[in-house]
Amino acid sequence: MAKYVAEPFRIKMVEPIRKTTREEREQIIKDANYNMFNIHAEDVYIDLLTDSGTGAMSQEQWGAMMIGDEAYAHSRSYFRFIDSAKDVFGDWAWFQLVHQGRAAEKVLMPLLLDKEQGKDVAISNTFFDTTRGHVMLTGATPIDCVVEEAKDSKLRVPFKGNMDTKRLRELIAEYGDRIGVVVMTITNNSAGGQPVSVANIKETSAICKEHNIPFCIDAARYAENAFFIKRDEAGYQDKTIKEIVREVFSYADYFTMSAKKDAILNMGGLVGVKDPEAPALNGVKANAIVGEGFLTYGGLNGRDIDAFAVGLQEGTDYHYLEYRIGQVEYLAERLDEAGIVYQAPVGGHGLFVDAAAMFPNIPWYEFPGQVLAVELYKEAGIRSCEIGSLLMDHDAEGNPVQSAFEFTRLAIPRRVYTQAHFDVMADALIEIKKRADKYTRGFEIAWEPPVLRHFQVHLKPIE
Ligand SMILES: *Cc1c(COP(=O)(O)O)cnc(C)c1O
């Protein structure tokens, strides 16, 4: 029997969610052109579209908002935030607030990458889409360099998010001085939220130092990654989550962070610069001022900066992390009992169901991951997201591109859903699995925009 780690909190305020009938949902999804982003939130029972900015703030965070200081410069909120950030990440020279993760990338990447200066290559364990976008906006080429184990969804080994350091050395030999930055994404979001070990971060950092390449952490899930290290990496069992976070960040020169994930904010981001003499420090300040706001607020309200200060701390609470990762594991165990395949072992922020395995009769170019997302909505009002060949877009000639996986992602908002909701998710998937052989056709594209099609695409079921 699957085991659920009980919540280390109780509920003080509730947000009603609407139940609908299957008949209503069939009409709603049709009217939405079978695109999950077009469904109105009001028509969703359990919303697993993303874990970004969808967490529930604590009474401490809401309380902190009441003492937010809205002074334009050097507010009290700012100093409370800096104390909290230093406590979590260590003694970095500069923490630049920004409005979200992609803003952090927009501030930092053009300072490290510059085609005219010959810095036109960036390497990562796996670039998150927006990070990849900001690398490409500078004219540079992003190269993913994740370990081979990440590519086998059934292989249960720890730290499938790691950098392939052998390949990294080969890439450095090939591109040399053209490499402007190496980015370590923790946890490795695009590889299914897979963690990265301290040993791998330390080795990557040493390789970067040896070749004088700036090493940057994409830090959205700084705390979940530390939880996996404490649980699975030899020598870390007796360390606290904060001690592990500080060690991990001691190896980096820069970090960018979306605070909408582990810092449990609805909006916010951060850039870190380690060294007071870092060449990019003045550029970070200048880019933040023109694009985000004055240095000490960076596009955020004072009240949100206070909630951020508290959220940074709460994200590192061991009992919270044990419960959070436990939720995903509970769902995974229930799916194991039913023989449903997913990216294993499960990462921190969600579960990626292998829809190609679920629907062996639907070809990839009819988007099995989208078929499962639509069926989950019809079955139980659950909104998930396709991560597969629909997301991949087409190539420059307009040909379909096959993704390595056809996933349906169930992203789990922080501190929002209960065990009963997880049973609704598992029961719905198990019901669909029982009739999965009967699905033979998927979707065709009725209309698509020129780029990032999955947000706006119109789909039509193939009869
Ligand atoms: C969410 C995310 C980002 C982008 O952050 P936003 O706050 O959505 O702009 C960057 N990197 C990773 C790994 C993320 O998960």
Side-chain angles (χ1 to χ4, degrees):
M1 267 276 281
K3 180 107 179 72
Y4 185 92
V5 180
E7 282 78 6
F9 54 81
R10 58 184 174 179
I11 296 165
K12 176 178 298 201
M13 189 185 286
V14 296
E15 178 182 2
I17 46 180
R18 193 165 84 89
K19 290 188 169 180
T20 47
T21 64
R22 188 178 177 99
E23 220 177 359
E24 286 172 318
R25 290 194 292 274
E26 281 177 358
Q27 191 60 44
I28 290 164
I29 187 77
K30 184 163 180 251
D31 293 344
N33 290 303
Y34 299 94
N35 180 330
M36 309 315 285
F37 294 91
N38 283 341
I39 302 174
H40 296 190
E42 192 188 4
D43 297 328
V44 176
Y45 180 53
I46 300 179
D47 205 342
L48 310 179
L49 189 64
T50 174
D51 67 316
S52 181
T54 53
M57 293 213 298
S58 65
Q59 60 177 5
E60 281 73 18
Q61 284 178 293
W62 283 108
M65 287 180 74
M66 294 304 289
I67 56 165
D69 177 355
E70 305 302 338
Y72 190 93
H74 291 101
S75 67
R76 295 169 188 86
S77 302
Y78 174 71
F79 290 110
R80 285 190 283 265
F81 173 79
I82 294 296
D83 286 347
S84 177
K86 285 194 171 171
D87 179 54
V88 172
F89 298 116
D91 199 14
W92 284 55
W94 191 252
F95 295 106
Q96 180 58 57
L97 291 160
V98 292
H99 84 275
Q100 66 182 95
R102 66 200 68 184
E105 295 154 4
K106 189 176 178 205
V107 163
L108 183 65
M109 286 305 156
L111 301 167
L112 303 177
L113 296 166
D114 184 340
K115 205 165 178 194
E116 315 234 298
Q117 305 277 326
K119 297 285 181 201
D120 63 349
V121 174
I123 301 170
S124 176
N125 51 342
T126 312
F127 283 104
F128 180 71
D129 349 351
T130 58
T131 324
R132 182 184 309 276
H134 280 291
V135 166
M136 290 170 73
L137 277 175
T138 71
T141 304
I143 301 176
D144 289 337
C145 185
V146 73
V147 290
E148 281 300 311
E149 291 93 310
K151 294 165 192 167
D152 180 351
S153 73
K154 289 204 192 78
L155 184 67
R156 293 189 187 226
V157 294
F159 303 112
K160 281 169 80 171
N162 279 355
M163 182 83 75
D164 181 343
T165 49
K166 182 163 169 277
R167 171 112 180 92
L168 175 63
R169 284 188 186 280
E170 289 164 11
L171 288 168
I172 292 173
E174 188 177 342
Y175 293 105
D177 287 346
R178 290 175 59 190
I179 302 168
V181 63
V182 168
V183 177
M184 189 69 99
T185 311
I186 63 170
T187 56
N188 193 332
N189 188 343
S190 309
Q194 295 295 319
V196 180
S197 69
V198 173
N200 188 254
I201 291 166
K202 204 170 161 179
E203 190 190 351
T204 303
S205 167
I207 295 171
C208 288
K209 273 209 177 61
E210 193 185 313
H211 296 91
N212 238 333
I213 302 169
F215 180 48
C216 178
I217 293 179
D218 182 351
R221 297 181 182 80
Y222 65 99
E224 290 172 12
N225 199 71
F227 177 85
F228 286 110
I229 289 167
K230 183 175 168 73
R231 195 188 68 183
D232 296 334
E233 187 164 357
Y236 286 89
Q237 283 63 50
D238 295 333
K239 297 223 191 290
T240 65
I241 296 294
K242 266 192 213 166
E243 283 169 343
I244 297 170
V245 172
R246 282 188 214 120
E247 178 176 351
V248 162
F249 281 74
S250 75
Y251 300 120
D253 302 309
Y254 300 95
F255 72 82
T256 57
M257 182 178 128
S258 167
K260 302 171 69 172
K261 322 293 173 41
D262 280 3
I264 328 181
L265 279 198
N266 302 118
M267 196 59 71
L270 193 62
V271 182
V273 181
K274 168 75 72 47
D275 179 358
E277 307 296 323
L281 179 54
N282 286 327
V284 164
K285 293 180 183 176
N287 287 354
I289 287 180
V290 292
E292 293 292 302
F294 182 65
L295 300 176
T296 60
Y297 76 87
L300 296 176
N301 298 304
R303 54 184 175 270
D304 291 339
I305 296 170
D306 264 304
F308 195 169
V310 176
L312 270 185
Q313 299 286 330
E314 290 182 357
T316 63
D317 179 73
Y318 176 77
H319 294 290
Y320 152 71
L321 288 165
E322 182 189 36
Y323 136 81
R324 169 157 177 77
I325 308 297
Q327 283 190 317
V328 188
E329 288 179 340
Y330 172 78
L331 179 59
E333 277 178 51
R334 288 222 42 208
L335 301 190
D336 284 340
E337 289 162 12
I340 294 171
V341 183
Y342 54 84
Q343 170 73 301
V346 282
H349 66 287
L351 189 137
F352 293 60
V353 182
D354 187 336
M358 171 87 89
F359 299 125
N361 302 322
I362 302 177
W364 64 268
Y365 48 82
E366 293 181 9
F367 314 122
Q370 187 68 13
V371 174
L372 182 55
V374 168
E375 285 307 306
L376 264 175
Y377 180 71
K378 286 187 193 165
E379 184 73 27
I382 296 167
R383 171 152 68 175
S384 57
C385 182
E386 192 261 11
I387 306 276
S389 296
L390 181 61
L391 182 69
M392 281 304 274
D393 268 296
H394 40 64
D395 64 16
E397 280 79 52
N399 301 310
V401 177
Q402 182 173 11
S403 167
F405 293 110
E406 303 300 335
F407 285 134
T408 304
R409 182 184 73 180
L410 282 63
I412 311 299
R414 291 165 179 77
R415 309 192 287 210
V416 170
Y417 293 113
T418 64
Q419 179 173 12
H421 291 119
F422 279 80
D423 283 327
V424 172
M425 299 172 207
D427 291 345
L429 281 163
I430 291 165
E431 277 310 309
I432 296 165
K433 162 85 174 163
K434 280 185 196 156
R435 52 175 198 259
D437 280 353
K438 299 204 181 77
Y439 293 85
T440 55
R441 302 308 302 267
F443 290 100
E444 63 187 353
I445 289 174
W447 173 82
E448 64 184 316
V451 288
L452 291 174
R453 71 177 175 192
H454 70 289
F455 288 121
Q456 297 190 72
V457 72
H458 294 180
L459 295 166
K460 215 171 88 195
I462 301 173
E463 300 302 335

Short mmCIF file of all heavy atoms in Angstrom, two decimals, residues 249-300:
data_model
loop_
_atom_site.label_atom_id
_atom_site.label_comp_id
_atom_site.label_asym_id
_atom_site.label_seq_id
_atom_site.Cartn_x
_atom_site.Cartn_y
_atom_site.Cartn_z
N PHE A 249 25.87 26.28 -3.36
CA PHE A 249 26.04 27.62 -3.92
C PHE A 249 27.48 28.13 -3.77
O PHE A 249 27.89 29.05 -4.46
CB PHE A 249 25.01 28.59 -3.32
CG PHE A 249 23.66 28.43 -3.97
CD1 PHE A 249 22.87 27.32 -3.69
CD2 PHE A 249 23.22 29.33 -4.92
CE1 PHE A 249 21.65 27.13 -4.33
CE2 PHE A 249 21.99 29.16 -5.56
CZ PHE A 249 21.21 28.06 -5.26
N SER A 250 28.26 27.49 -2.88
CA SER A 250 29.65 27.93 -2.72
C SER A 250 30.47 27.61 -3.98
O SER A 250 31.53 28.19 -4.19
CB SER A 250 30.29 27.25 -1.50
OG SER A 250 30.59 25.88 -1.78
N TYR A 251 29.98 26.71 -4.83
CA TYR A 251 30.74 26.32 -6.03
C TYR A 251 30.44 27.22 -7.24
O TYR A 251 31.08 27.08 -8.27
CB TYR A 251 30.44 24.86 -6.40
CG TYR A 251 30.82 23.90 -5.29
CD1 TYR A 251 29.88 23.07 -4.70
CD2 TYR A 251 32.14 23.84 -4.83
CE1 TYR A 251 30.23 22.20 -3.68
CE2 TYR A 251 32.50 22.97 -3.80
CZ TYR A 251 31.53 22.16 -3.23
OH TYR A 251 31.89 21.33 -2.22
N ALA A 252 29.44 28.10 -7.13
CA ALA A 252 29.01 28.86 -8.31
C ALA A 252 29.52 30.29 -8.29
O ALA A 252 29.85 30.84 -7.24
CB ALA A 252 27.48 28.87 -8.38
N ASP A 253 29.59 30.91 -9.48
CA ASP A 253 29.96 32.32 -9.60
C ASP A 253 28.73 33.22 -9.66
O ASP A 253 28.76 34.36 -9.24
CB ASP A 253 30.78 32.52 -10.89
CG ASP A 253 32.03 31.66 -10.89
OD1 ASP A 253 32.79 31.71 -9.90
OD2 ASP A 253 32.24 30.91 -11.88
N TYR A 254 27.68 32.68 -10.27
CA TYR A 254 26.43 33.44 -10.44
C TYR A 254 25.26 32.49 -10.21
O TYR A 254 25.42 31.27 -10.32
CB TYR A 254 26.30 33.97 -11.88
CG TYR A 254 27.41 34.91 -12.29
CD1 TYR A 254 28.52 34.43 -12.99
CD2 TYR A 254 27.33 36.26 -12.00
CE1 TYR A 254 29.55 35.29 -13.38
CE2 TYR A 254 28.36 37.13 -12.38
CZ TYR A 254 29.46 36.64 -13.07
OH TYR A 254 30.46 37.48 -13.43
N PHE A 255 24.09 33.02 -9.90
CA PHE A 255 22.88 32.23 -10.07
C PHE A 255 21.72 33.09 -10.56
O PHE A 255 21.71 34.31 -10.33
CB PHE A 255 22.50 31.44 -8.80
CG PHE A 255 21.96 32.23 -7.64
CD1 PHE A 255 20.62 32.61 -7.58
CD2 PHE A 255 22.78 32.57 -6.57
CE1 PHE A 255 20.11 33.31 -6.50
CE2 PHE A 255 22.28 33.28 -5.47
CZ PHE A 255 20.94 33.65 -5.45
N THR A 256 20.80 32.45 -11.26
CA THR A 256 19.52 33.08 -11.59
C THR A 256 18.46 32.21 -10.95
O THR A 256 18.63 31.00 -10.82
CB THR A 256 19.28 33.14 -13.12
OG1 THR A 256 19.35 31.82 -13.66
CG2 THR A 256 20.29 34.03 -13.81
N MET A 257 17.36 32.83 -10.52
CA MET A 257 16.37 32.05 -9.80
C MET A 257 14.96 32.57 -10.05
O MET A 257 14.72 33.77 -10.01
CB MET A 257 16.68 32.13 -8.31
CG MET A 257 15.74 31.32 -7.46
SD MET A 257 16.26 31.45 -5.73
CE MET A 257 14.73 31.91 -5.04
N SER A 258 14.04 31.65 -10.30
CA SER A 258 12.63 31.95 -10.28
C SER A 258 12.13 31.68 -8.88
O SER A 258 12.19 30.55 -8.41
CB SER A 258 11.88 31.05 -11.28
OG SER A 258 10.49 31.16 -11.05
N ALA A 259 11.62 32.70 -8.20
CA ALA A 259 11.14 32.52 -6.82
C ALA A 259 9.73 31.95 -6.78
O ALA A 259 9.15 31.77 -5.71
CB ALA A 259 11.20 33.86 -6.09
N LYS A 260 9.17 31.66 -7.98
CA LYS A 260 7.81 31.11 -8.07
C LYS A 260 7.78 29.61 -7.78
O LYS A 260 6.73 29.01 -7.75
CB LYS A 260 7.25 31.37 -9.47
CG LYS A 260 7.24 32.85 -9.82
CD LYS A 260 6.90 33.09 -11.28
CE LYS A 260 5.45 32.74 -11.54
NZ LYS A 260 5.04 33.14 -12.91
N LYS A 261 8.94 29.03 -7.57
CA LYS A 261 9.03 27.59 -7.30
C LYS A 261 9.32 27.40 -5.80
O LYS A 261 8.44 27.62 -4.99
CB LYS A 261 10.11 26.94 -8.17
CG LYS A 261 10.19 27.48 -9.61
CD LYS A 261 9.00 27.16 -10.45
CE LYS A 261 8.97 27.81 -11.83
NZ LYS A 261 10.15 27.90 -12.62
N ASP A 262 10.58 27.07 -5.44
CA ASP A 262 10.86 26.68 -4.06
C ASP A 262 10.74 27.82 -3.04
O ASP A 262 10.62 27.55 -1.84
CB ASP A 262 12.27 26.07 -3.95
CG ASP A 262 12.27 24.61 -4.39
OD1 ASP A 262 11.21 24.13 -4.83
OD2 ASP A 262 13.32 23.97 -4.30
N ALA A 263 10.77 29.07 -3.47
CA ALA A 263 10.61 30.16 -2.51
C ALA A 263 9.12 30.43 -2.22
O ALA A 263 8.79 31.31 -1.42
CB ALA A 263 11.30 31.43 -2.99
N ILE A 264 8.25 29.68 -2.89
CA ILE A 264 6.80 29.70 -2.63
C ILE A 264 6.22 31.11 -2.70
O ILE A 264 5.46 31.54 -1.83
CB ILE A 264 6.43 28.99 -1.30
CG1 ILE A 264 7.40 27.82 -1.01
CG2 ILE A 264 4.99 28.46 -1.36
CD1 ILE A 264 7.10 27.06 0.27
N LEU A 265 6.58 31.82 -3.75
CA LEU A 265 5.97 33.12 -4.04
C LEU A 265 5.08 32.97 -5.27
O LEU A 265 5.29 32.06 -6.07
CB LEU A 265 7.05 34.13 -4.42
CG LEU A 265 7.87 34.84 -3.37
CD1 LEU A 265 8.50 36.07 -4.00
CD2 LEU A 265 7.03 35.23 -2.19
N ASN A 266 4.14 33.88 -5.43
CA ASN A 266 3.34 33.86 -6.65
C ASN A 266 4.05 34.59 -7.78
O ASN A 266 3.77 34.36 -8.95
CB ASN A 266 1.95 34.45 -6.38
CG ASN A 266 1.24 33.67 -5.28
OD1 ASN A 266 0.92 34.20 -4.24
ND2 ASN A 266 1.03 32.38 -5.50
N MET A 267 4.99 35.47 -7.44
CA MET A 267 5.79 36.17 -8.46
C MET A 267 7.09 36.64 -7.82
O MET A 267 7.05 37.14 -6.70
CB MET A 267 4.97 37.36 -9.01
CG MET A 267 5.48 37.95 -10.31
SD MET A 267 5.54 36.76 -11.67
CE MET A 267 3.80 36.54 -12.02
N GLY A 268 8.20 36.50 -8.53
CA GLY A 268 9.47 36.99 -8.00
C GLY A 268 10.65 36.26 -8.60
O GLY A 268 10.50 35.15 -9.13
N GLY A 269 11.81 36.90 -8.55
CA GLY A 269 13.03 36.27 -9.06
C GLY A 269 14.26 36.94 -8.47
O GLY A 269 14.15 37.96 -7.77
N LEU A 270 15.42 36.37 -8.77
CA LEU A 270 16.66 36.83 -8.14
C LEU A 270 17.86 36.50 -9.02
O LEU A 270 17.88 35.46 -9.69
CB LEU A 270 16.79 36.12 -6.79
CG LEU A 270 17.82 36.62 -5.79
CD1 LEU A 270 17.52 38.06 -5.37
CD2 LEU A 270 17.85 35.72 -4.56
N VAL A 271 18.86 37.40 -9.00
CA VAL A 271 20.17 37.12 -9.58
C VAL A 271 21.18 37.18 -8.45
O VAL A 271 21.11 38.08 -7.62
CB VAL A 271 20.57 38.19 -10.64
CG1 VAL A 271 21.93 37.84 -11.26
CG2 VAL A 271 19.51 38.34 -11.71
N GLY A 272 22.11 36.23 -8.41
CA GLY A 272 23.18 36.27 -7.41
C GLY A 272 24.53 36.46 -8.10
O GLY A 272 24.77 35.87 -9.15
N VAL A 273 25.38 37.32 -7.50
CA VAL A 273 26.75 37.50 -7.99
C VAL A 273 27.68 37.24 -6.81
O VAL A 273 27.58 37.93 -5.78
CB VAL A 273 26.98 38.93 -8.54
CG1 VAL A 273 28.41 39.09 -9.05
CG2 VAL A 273 25.97 39.26 -9.63
N LYS A 274 28.56 36.25 -6.91
CA LYS A 274 29.35 35.81 -5.76
C LYS A 274 30.45 36.81 -5.39
O LYS A 274 30.60 37.21 -4.25
CB LYS A 274 29.95 34.44 -6.11
CG LYS A 274 31.04 33.92 -5.19
CD LYS A 274 30.56 33.41 -3.85
CE LYS A 274 29.81 32.10 -3.89
NZ LYS A 274 30.40 31.03 -4.67
N ASP A 275 31.22 37.22 -6.39
CA ASP A 275 32.47 37.91 -6.14
C ASP A 275 32.28 39.42 -6.28
O ASP A 275 31.79 39.88 -7.31
CB ASP A 275 33.49 37.38 -7.17
CG ASP A 275 34.85 38.03 -7.05
OD1 ASP A 275 35.02 38.92 -6.20
OD2 ASP A 275 35.74 37.66 -7.83
N PRO A 276 32.69 40.21 -5.29
CA PRO A 276 32.53 41.67 -5.42
C PRO A 276 33.29 42.25 -6.61
O PRO A 276 32.99 43.34 -7.08
CB PRO A 276 33.07 42.21 -4.10
CG PRO A 276 33.78 41.09 -3.43
CD PRO A 276 33.26 39.82 -4.01
N GLU A 277 34.30 41.50 -7.10
CA GLU A 277 35.09 41.98 -8.25
C GLU A 277 34.59 41.38 -9.56
O GLU A 277 35.22 41.55 -10.61
CB GLU A 277 36.58 41.59 -8.09
CG GLU A 277 37.22 42.00 -6.78
CD GLU A 277 37.28 43.52 -6.65
OE1 GLU A 277 37.51 44.18 -7.67
OE2 GLU A 277 37.07 44.02 -5.52
N ALA A 278 33.46 40.64 -9.53
CA ALA A 278 33.00 39.93 -10.74
C ALA A 278 32.79 40.91 -11.89
O ALA A 278 32.20 41.99 -11.68
CB ALA A 278 31.70 39.19 -10.46
N PRO A 279 33.28 40.56 -13.09
CA PRO A 279 33.16 41.49 -14.22
C PRO A 279 31.72 41.86 -14.54
O PRO A 279 31.46 42.95 -15.03
CB PRO A 279 33.82 40.73 -15.39
CG PRO A 279 34.06 39.34 -14.92
CD PRO A 279 34.01 39.33 -13.43
N ALA A 280 30.75 40.97 -14.23
CA ALA A 280 29.37 41.25 -14.62
C ALA A 280 28.59 42.05 -13.57
O ALA A 280 27.45 42.43 -13.82
CB ALA A 280 28.64 39.93 -14.90
N LEU A 281 29.22 42.32 -12.42
CA LEU A 281 28.43 42.92 -11.32
C LEU A 281 27.81 44.26 -11.69
O LEU A 281 26.61 44.49 -11.50
CB LEU A 281 29.29 43.05 -10.06
CG LEU A 281 28.60 43.68 -8.85
CD1 LEU A 281 27.30 42.98 -8.49
CD2 LEU A 281 29.52 43.69 -7.64
N ASN A 282 28.62 45.15 -12.27
CA ASN A 282 28.06 46.47 -12.62
C ASN A 282 27.01 46.36 -13.70
O ASN A 282 26.02 47.10 -13.70
CB ASN A 282 29.18 47.42 -13.04
CG ASN A 282 29.98 47.87 -11.82
OD1 ASN A 282 29.42 48.00 -10.73
ND2 ASN A 282 31.28 48.07 -12.00
N GLY A 283 27.20 45.41 -14.62
CA GLY A 283 26.21 45.19 -15.67
C GLY A 283 24.90 44.67 -15.12
O GLY A 283 23.82 45.05 -15.59
N VAL A 284 24.97 43.80 -14.13
CA VAL A 284 23.75 43.28 -13.50
C VAL A 284 22.95 44.44 -12.92
O VAL A 284 21.74 44.57 -13.12
CB VAL A 284 24.08 42.24 -12.39
CG1 VAL A 284 22.89 41.99 -11.48
CG2 VAL A 284 24.56 40.92 -13.02
N LYS A 285 23.66 45.34 -12.21
CA LYS A 285 22.97 46.48 -11.59
C LYS A 285 22.36 47.38 -12.67
O LYS A 285 21.21 47.80 -12.56
CB LYS A 285 23.94 47.27 -10.71
CG LYS A 285 24.41 46.49 -9.49
CD LYS A 285 25.37 47.34 -8.66
CE LYS A 285 25.90 46.57 -7.47
NZ LYS A 285 26.90 47.35 -6.71
N ALA A 286 23.14 47.65 -13.72
CA ALA A 286 22.66 48.55 -14.77
C ALA A 286 21.46 47.94 -15.49
O ALA A 286 20.44 48.61 -15.72
CB ALA A 286 23.79 48.84 -15.76
N ASN A 287 21.55 46.66 -15.86
CA ASN A 287 20.44 46.02 -16.57
C ASN A 287 19.19 45.94 -15.69
O ASN A 287 18.07 46.07 -16.19
CB ASN A 287 20.83 44.60 -17.01
CG ASN A 287 21.80 44.61 -18.17
OD1 ASN A 287 22.10 45.67 -18.72
ND2 ASN A 287 22.30 43.43 -18.55
N ALA A 288 19.39 45.72 -14.40
CA ALA A 288 18.23 45.65 -13.50
C ALA A 288 17.55 47.01 -13.42
O ALA A 288 16.32 47.12 -13.47
CB ALA A 288 18.67 45.18 -12.11
N ILE A 289 18.34 48.07 -13.30
CA ILE A 289 17.75 49.40 -13.17
C ILE A 289 16.95 49.78 -14.42
O ILE A 289 15.82 50.26 -14.31
CB ILE A 289 18.84 50.46 -12.87
CG1 ILE A 289 19.33 50.28 -11.42
CG2 ILE A 289 18.29 51.88 -13.06
CD1 ILE A 289 20.41 51.26 -11.00
N VAL A 290 17.49 49.52 -15.60
CA VAL A 290 16.73 49.91 -16.79
C VAL A 290 15.54 48.98 -17.05
O VAL A 290 14.52 49.43 -17.55
CB VAL A 290 17.58 50.00 -18.09
CG1 VAL A 290 18.54 51.16 -18.00
CG2 VAL A 290 18.30 48.71 -18.39
N GLY A 291 15.67 47.70 -16.71
CA GLY A 291 14.62 46.76 -17.09
C GLY A 291 13.62 46.40 -15.99
O GLY A 291 12.48 46.04 -16.28
N GLU A 292 14.07 46.49 -14.73
CA GLU A 292 13.23 45.97 -13.64
C GLU A 292 12.81 47.05 -12.65
O GLU A 292 11.67 47.06 -12.19
CB GLU A 292 14.00 44.87 -12.89
CG GLU A 292 14.24 43.62 -13.74
CD GLU A 292 12.95 42.86 -14.03
OE1 GLU A 292 12.27 42.46 -13.08
OE2 GLU A 292 12.61 42.70 -15.21
N GLY A 293 13.73 47.89 -12.27
CA GLY A 293 13.45 48.92 -11.27
C GLY A 293 14.70 49.17 -10.46
O GLY A 293 15.72 48.52 -10.68
N PHE A 294 14.63 50.09 -9.51
CA PHE A 294 15.81 50.41 -8.71
C PHE A 294 16.36 49.16 -8.02
O PHE A 294 15.63 48.21 -7.75
CB PHE A 294 15.48 51.51 -7.69
CG PHE A 294 16.68 51.93 -6.88
CD1 PHE A 294 17.75 52.56 -7.49
CD2 PHE A 294 16.76 51.66 -5.52
CE1 PHE A 294 18.88 52.91 -6.76
CE2 PHE A 294 17.88 52.02 -4.78
CZ PHE A 294 18.94 52.64 -5.40
N LEU A 295 17.66 49.20 -7.73
CA LEU A 295 18.41 48.04 -7.22
C LEU A 295 17.73 47.31 -6.07
O LEU A 295 17.82 46.09 -5.98
CB LEU A 295 19.79 48.53 -6.72
CG LEU A 295 20.67 49.20 -7.77
CD1 LEU A 295 21.95 49.72 -7.12
CD2 LEU A 295 21.00 48.21 -8.88
N THR A 296 17.05 48.05 -5.19
CA THR A 296 16.57 47.40 -3.97
C THR A 296 15.13 46.94 -4.05
O THR A 296 14.58 46.46 -3.06
CB THR A 296 16.75 48.35 -2.76
OG1 THR A 296 16.00 49.54 -2.99
CG2 THR A 296 18.21 48.70 -2.54
N TYR A 297 14.48 47.09 -5.23
CA TYR A 297 13.15 46.47 -5.35
C TYR A 297 12.97 45.64 -6.62
O TYR A 297 12.19 44.69 -6.63
CB TYR A 297 12.02 47.50 -5.18
CG TYR A 297 11.77 48.40 -6.37
CD1 TYR A 297 10.92 47.99 -7.39
CD2 TYR A 297 12.39 49.63 -6.47
CE1 TYR A 297 10.68 48.82 -8.48
CE2 TYR A 297 12.15 50.47 -7.55
CZ TYR A 297 11.31 50.05 -8.56
OH TYR A 297 11.08 50.84 -9.64
N GLY A 298 13.71 45.99 -7.70
CA GLY A 298 13.73 45.13 -8.88
C GLY A 298 12.38 44.65 -9.39
O GLY A 298 12.21 43.48 -9.72
N GLY A 299 11.39 45.55 -9.44
CA GLY A 299 10.10 45.16 -10.02
C GLY A 299 9.14 44.51 -9.04
O GLY A 299 8.05 44.09 -9.41
N LEU A 300 9.54 44.39 -7.77
CA LEU A 300 8.66 43.77 -6.77
C LEU A 300 8.12 44.81 -5.79
O LEU A 300 8.80 45.79 -5.47
CB LEU A 300 9.42 42.69 -5.98
CG LEU A 300 9.91 41.49 -6.79
CD1 LEU A 300 10.72 40.55 -5.89
CD2 LEU A 300 8.74 40.73 -7.40
#
